[in-house]
Amino acid sequence: MTTTPRTLHVSPTRAERVLGLLRDLEVPLSAVRSVDVVPDGPAAARGVRAPGLGLPGLRLIGTWRGRGGKSLVSVRRGQPAVRVRLTGQRFDTLLLGVDDPAAVAGALPPAR
């Protein structure tokens, strides 16, 4: 995940692209509603996997669908994550495992 002054860019690894059926995603920073740090990424995923890879408690990659909308998920056990809630985009939520979630959350705009 990288940011520019106007956009948030998510670029999955080759393995994430294949296993989770994901592709690059770019959203304007104006679409970011809130950013939360999540200590346990796999426990924070909600909904039904469709499509993607789900090894419960170990690795989750792909699209999760539920009452709250559609989420792009890429998390693994033992790694904290960042949950980014979006408005007006293809995904309602991004749940991404990162090594330094506080730094990533700080680089995104404050909640609206």
Side-chain angles (χ1 to χ4, degrees), residues 1 3 7 14 19 39 41 51 54 61 72 80 83 87 96 98 101-102 109-110:
M1 180 177 357
T3 60
T7 62
R14 182 174 292 181
L19 297 173
I61 306 169
L72 183 146
R83 180 180 16 232
T87 182
L96 304 170
V98 294

Side-chain angles (χ1 to χ4, degrees), residues 98-111:
V98 294
D99 293 326
D100 189 358
V104 172
L108 295 172

Side-chain angles (χ1 to χ4, degrees), residues 4-105:
T4 67
R6 294 184 182 191
T7 62
L8 168 65
H9 185 79
V10 178
S11 183
T13 65
R14 182 174 292 181
E16 290 171 328
R17 290 174 195 270
V18 172
L19 297 173
L21 299 174
L22 299 175
R23 59 181 182 213
D24 284 358
L25 176 69
E26 188 169 288
V27 297
L29 290 179
S30 60
V32 175
R33 277 191 350 215
S34 67
V35 180
D36 303 315
V37 173
V38 179
D40 184 5
R46 299 285 180 257
V48 176
R49 174 181 41 92
L53 169 74
L55 301 172
L58 295 176
R59 189 73 164 114
L60 306 175
I61 306 169
T63 302
W64 264 247
R65 299 169 192 269
R67 288 186 189 161
K70 188 164 68 166
S71 300
L72 183 146
V73 176
S74 180
V75 294
R76 68 175 179 253
R77 180 178 63 188
Q79 184 181 39
V82 173
R83 180 180 16 232
V84 181
R85 297 190 194 278
L86 304 171
T87 182
Q89 299 299 308
R90 186 167 61 118
F91 291 100
D92 300 296
T93 305
L94 307 176
L95 182 62
L96 304 170
V98 294
D99 293 326
D100 189 358
V104 172

